[in-house]
Amino acid sequence: MNVKWLIRSQSVATLAAGMIYPYYLLFLKNLGNSYSKYGLAFAVFTISSAAVSTWLGPRLDKHGTRIMVISSLGMMAAMFAFPWTSSYTLVLLLQLIMGTCNAMQRMSERLLLADSTEFVSRGITIGSYHFWTSIASGFAVILGGLLIDWLTINALFYMSALLYGVSAWVVWRASRASLSRKAEDTITF
């Protein structure tokens, strides 16, 4: 996958996460109605992310791009489901899914970034990657705050879901283009 497309796709995913994340925390607090329930929901997210990492590691080299696409689609599904969630048990299930998707995204992101860089210029590429994804994150929080003043938190969940879908599409599309370029290179003598 081309670094330019990786940066674009992950900037969109970061925009999706950053737009909902601060307000999603309020959603969890209001639904759980106690700090211990809030803490448990967050623990389910982080522990599931850690647990999946060990299973995912051996599969990453072969399926990195596919794992990234599945991650974005999983986050999209979770974002679409949250507005319909009224049970704390379902929140925990969604946290489990989101933790799994988080591990998938983080690990495949790092793999694809490493695969797309050369030893001599790796720092420049990583700096550019971090710059654009951080800009997307900052912009997302501002955008989320402005939108939640006009809309509901449910609208933010739906917009975040759509952005995760766009991110999945960008990764899928870029990987298809990369595969067809490799196929052309192997056919040419």
Side-chain angles (χ1 to χ4, degrees):
M1 173 182 265
N2 182 321
V3 171
K4 177 176 69 171
W5 287 104
L6 179 63
I7 290 172
R8 288 176 181 169
S9 72
Q10 293 313 286
S11 293
V12 172
T14 302
L15 182 63
M19 188 171 67
I20 193 65
Y21 186 72
Y23 313 103
Y24 155 78
L25 296 176
L26 295 172
F27 176 83
L28 284 181
K29 171 64 176 89
N30 290 336
L31 190 63
N33 207 15
S34 78
Y35 289 110
S36 60
K37 285 183 178 180
Y38 172 75
L40 177 60
F42 233 73
V44 167
F45 176 87
T46 57
I47 292 169
S48 64
S49 184
V52 167
S53 297
T54 57
W55 176 83
L56 206 54
R59 292 153 181 83
L60 202 57
D61 285 322
K62 189 174 181 181
H63 305 288
T65 304
R66 184 177 302 148
I67 289 169
M68 185 172 276
V69 169
I70 293 168
S71 164
S72 289
L73 293 175
M75 288 299 284
M76 181 177 82
M79 291 300 113
F80 273 131
F82 258 106
W84 300 96
T85 304
S86 59
S87 159
Y88 182 70
T89 304
L90 289 176
V91 167
L92 293 179
L93 178 64
L94 288 172
Q95 288 291 99
L96 179 82
I97 292 167
M98 289 173 57
T100 299
C101 292
N102 179 63
M104 294 168 73
Q105 189 273 331
R106 295 277 180 223
M107 293 178 72
S108 59
E109 164 191 62
R110 290 174 180 141
L111 173 86
L112 294 172
L113 189 57
D115 284 351
S116 302
T117 57
E118 298 291 325
F119 178 71
V120 179
S121 63
R122 202 165 269 162
I124 294 167
T125 304
I126 291 171
S128 178
Y129 181 88
H130 183 72
F131 173 80
W132 286 110
T133 55
S134 295
I135 289 290
S137 179
F139 178 70
V141 174
I142 293 168
L143 180 64
L146 291 171
L147 289 175
I148 204 163
D149 282 340
W150 294 337
L151 307 170
T152 66
I153 191 150
N154 291 353
L156 278 184
F157 278 114
Y158 295 140
M159 291 175 76
S160 179
L162 290 173
L163 288 171
Y164 276 117
V166 168
S167 176
W169 180 79
V170 169
V171 171
W172 177 79
R173 185 97 164 134
S175 69
R176 299 319 269 159
S178 177
L179 286 175
S180 59
R181 275 193 304 277
K182 284 181 186 176
E184 288 174 9
D185 290 344
T186 58
I187 293 172
T188 309
F189 291 83

